[in-house]
Amino acid sequence: MAVRYFPTDRLRDLRELVERAADEFGDRPAFRDLDPSGIVHTHTYSQLRDDVAALGTAMLARGLAGRHIALVGESAYGYVVCYLAVVNSGGVVVPLDKELTTRELIHLVDKSDAEVLLYGAALAPDAAAIVRDCPRVRTTVAISLYETPDATTPTAPDRPDASASEILTDLLQTGRDLLAQGDTCYADLTIDPDAPCAILFTSGTTGANKGVLLSPHNITSVVAGAFGLHKFPGLSISVLPINHSYEFNLHVLGAIYGGITLCFNDSVMHVRENLTRFAPEMTLMVPMIVEALYKNIWREAEKNHLDKHLRYALVLSNVLRKVGIDLRRVYFKPVIQSLGGNLRLIVCGGAPLRPEIVKGMSDLGIEVYNGYGITECSPLISSNCVLATVPGSVGVPMPGVEVRIDSPDADGNGEIQVRGDNVMLGYYEDPEATAASFTPDGWFKTGDLGHLGPRGALFITGRQKNLIILPNGKNVQPEELEEHLLASIDYLKEVVVHAATDAAG
């Protein structure tokens, strides 16, 4: 049976996304974040539109239209404003991981041809080194809204062509002043929805440090596609790195699309504290975090000698559900309270999640939908959802995306290939890698192995480069062996294969 998706509005570009949100949601809280003292700041959808327009106007006034602009910072409202101002003023944003070393950042800033560096508070001590070794970078901006760096000191004293670091709050005020004076350069600028607007560095399918080129058309397709699969509640928390396409394109931009209030977690050390502080109804996670949450629930139950009581309650709850009585949120209220009190939905991506974890969380009253994506696909390809859930799979393809299995073996497994509006433009300045990543008839080669099952759901079985072919021709996927071992041995956390060497040799 074909999946009937939820109806969605397909948007032209990210400027329309921001304008639509302000028109529809106005003074509704869009984002909440924390300053260094722990005070929560709330920013509305109307404020988001105004701030993006102001920063975009200031950037255009400085001649930055069409420039490549590196963005490195913490998960916060200021980061979102910077990203949207860059792409909505005709620039190309290059989101980079703040956890990279200075040398790694220098390499990627230089490789992306970035001319501007927007940096968060954590990167401030290293900004001078990056500018010194990246000759194209002449402008730097400190993007924290709550910490004021010393903007009088040149970013790189030995680079006289590089200006002193600017401050985001000053640029915002400059933009507001220009808008008040009647400057319409931002409003008058036409955005090409099919032109590059982002370079995201990933390992790609053919090697390291490939710069994935995405367009507004690519990104808006996955935002609308996610809402074609899911009905999301109105309050969420962001716990994943904001530079990742999974977190930014689906969670941050998805929140703007759906009028969701998104609260930013300020540190991995504060996740439990901020779950209590913000009391979200949903979040996006990776399997490692979901499994850690699940194991911690049982660890706490055992610690408090309540594990037998919890098992009995689960049996009773599951029996009642079979006759249409759902008391999960009542029976397991203490568990849900430990996660903020309102959490009911987790969308999980990045890797397959073991079905027993999905079932275990669902039995406790928290639905987990596992999905699949890859940066080159903006990143969403498929997801389990309320419309169609197939245990063990990574769900059905999102609207507008086609998935096929190339050269399937006897078990139906082969390379997963994708075609749709979500597929990247190519790799930045790497035509050979781009050509190698597509089939002659235009399908993107993910490099992942899998098969299609009931309702067209996709099952991931491994990576093509990891495939072991035995002398008898049998294909063995190490990922399946690893999953079996991890599920079978409670104390096992990692599986490592080591090739022993002959000491005599």
Side-chain angles (χ1 to χ4, degrees):
M1 181 185 298
V3 177
R4 297 183 63 183
Y5 301 107
F6 294 117
T8 58
D9 296 329
R10 179 62 189 274
L11 305 180
R12 182 179 186 275
D13 54 38
L14 300 184
R15 181 181 293 189
E16 186 179 357
L17 175 73
V18 174
E19 295 290 338
R20 171 183 174 272
D23 290 341
E24 291 193 15
F25 311 123
D27 292 332
R28 182 184 300 179
F31 298 99
R32 290 195 174 110
D33 59 7
L34 295 155
D35 66 21
S37 63
I39 297 174
V40 176
H41 296 262
T42 299
H43 310 273
T44 68
Y45 281 99
S46 294
Q47 181 186 353
L48 177 67
R49 175 181 57 189
D50 294 345
D51 286 344
V52 170
L55 183 57
T57 299
M59 295 175 72
L60 290 172
R62 281 164 167 70
L64 299 180
R67 308 288 183 175
H68 290 196
I69 298 178
L71 176 57
V72 191
E74 296 77 28
S75 297
Y77 173 70
Y79 185 106
V80 179
V81 171
C82 288
Y83 185 111
L84 291 171
V86 171
V87 300
N88 289 345
S89 58
V92 177
V93 68
V94 186
L96 299 174
D97 188 348
K98 66 182 179 65
E99 300 300 330
L100 293 175
T101 66
T102 302
R103 295 310 311 171
E104 289 170 329
L105 286 171
I106 289 170
H107 170 68
L108 295 181
V109 169
D110 188 60
K111 186 179 179 68
S112 66
D113 295 324
E115 299 179 54
V116 181
L117 173 65
L118 310 180
Y119 64 92
L123 192 66
D126 302 315
I130 294 173
V131 175
R132 183 183 61 242
D133 291 345
C134 296
R136 292 185 188 85
V137 176
R138 291 178 172 82
T139 302
T140 60
V141 180
I143 67 171
S144 174
L145 293 174
Y146 312 122
E147 297 177 72
T148 304
D150 181 2
T152 62
T153 304
T155 305
D158 54 347
R159 280 281 309 281
D161 59 324
S163 63
S165 181
E166 299 191 65
I167 301 172
L168 177 59
T169 50
D170 290 346
L171 284 178
L172 285 168
Q173 188 57 52
T174 297
R176 293 185 190 110
D177 292 342
L178 289 169
L179 288 169
Q181 295 165 16
D183 191 321
T184 62
C185 64
Y186 176 81
D188 294 342
L189 185 69
T190 300
I191 303 298
D192 182 352
D194 297 311
C197 73
I199 300 174
L200 284 76
F201 283 101
T202 180
S203 60
T205 58
T206 57
N209 289 331
K210 299 291 191 299
V212 174
L213 282 170
L214 299 182
S215 69
H217 187 77
N218 292 145
I219 296 171
T220 56
S221 75
V222 299
V223 174
F227 279 79
L229 292 167
H230 295 278
K231 285 289 186 183
F232 297 110
L235 183 63
S236 189
I237 187 170
S238 171
V239 298
L240 299 177
I242 196 169
N243 64 289
H244 289 186
S245 61
Y246 173 47
E247 181 63 21
F248 195 88
N249 292 0
L250 295 179
H251 207 180
V252 175
L253 298 182
I256 298 172
Y257 181 94
I260 296 166
T261 299
L262 183 61
C263 307
F264 287 115
N265 176 62
D266 60 336
S267 168
V268 293
M269 304 299 293
H270 303 155
V271 173
R272 291 291 294 272
E273 177 185 345
N274 284 327
L275 282 171
T276 301
R277 185 198 306 270
F278 294 119
E281 298 169 281
M282 65 160 287
T283 188
L284 268 64
M285 290 182 172
V286 293
M288 180 179 67
I289 299 178
V290 177
E291 293 196 16
L293 282 179
Y294 184 68
K295 290 179 180 178
N296 188 64
I297 289 169
W298 282 101
R299 190 179 300 116
E300 288 294 316
E302 292 170 1
K303 177 182 175 181
N304 295 308
H305 307 290
L306 295 173
D307 51 315
K308 291 183 179 179
H309 176 76
L310 183 56
R311 288 189 177 90
Y312 173 79
L314 283 168
V315 171
L316 178 59
S317 172
N318 288 335
V319 169
L320 291 174
R321 286 171 65 196
K322 289 181 180 179
V323 295
I325 303 173
D326 188 352
L327 295 176
R328 288 176 294 173
R329 307 288 294 187
V330 176
Y331 285 170
F332 310 114
K333 185 176 181 179
V335 171
I336 296 168
Q337 283 296 133
S338 72
L339 300 174
N342 295 320
L343 189 64
R344 60 180 66 251
L345 172 64
I346 298 174
V347 179
C348 183
L353 180 64
R354 288 187 286 141
E356 57 267 32
I357 301 295
V358 175
K359 183 181 185 304
M361 292 293 285
S362 177
D363 287 346
L364 292 169
I366 300 170
E367 300 299 335
V368 179
Y369 293 120
N370 195 28
Y372 167 64
I374 186 170
T375 303
E376 287 88 342
C377 291
S378 304
L380 183 61
I381 295 173
S382 67
S383 179
N384 281 291
C385 57
V386 69
L387 299 172
T389 295
V390 180
S393 78
V394 289
V396 296
M398 75 169 191
V401 169
E402 298 176 87
V403 174
R404 74 180 184 186
I405 306 301
D406 182 59
S407 304
D409 60 17
D411 296 321
N413 291 310
E415 185 187 34
I416 299 166
Q417 298 180 351
V418 180
R419 183 169 66 181
D421 292 340
N422 61 330
V423 177
M424 67 172 182
L425 302 176
Y427 293 114
Y428 181 61
E429 292 194 341
D430 198 339
E432 291 184 2
T434 299
S437 296
F438 287 87
T439 65
D441 57 347
W443 290 70
F444 175 71
K445 301 188 290 185
T446 67
D448 291 321
L449 296 172
H451 62 270
L452 295 173
R455 307 198 70 179
L458 181 61
F459 290 77
I460 308 292
T461 56
R463 285 288 293 171
Q464 193 172 45
K465 65 181 180 181
N466 296 340
L467 185 66
I468 301 170
I469 303 178
L470 301 179
N472 63 1
K474 177 70 174 177
N475 293 340
V476 177
Q477 283 133 13
E479 291 84 357
E480 290 186 333
L481 297 177
E482 179 182 19
E483 182 179 338
H484 175 72
L485 291 170
L486 291 171
S488 303
I489 306 175
D490 290 339
Y491 57 81
L492 194 63
K493 294 184 67 176
E494 300 286 347
V495 179
V496 178
V497 177
H498 174 68
T501 57
D502 186 347

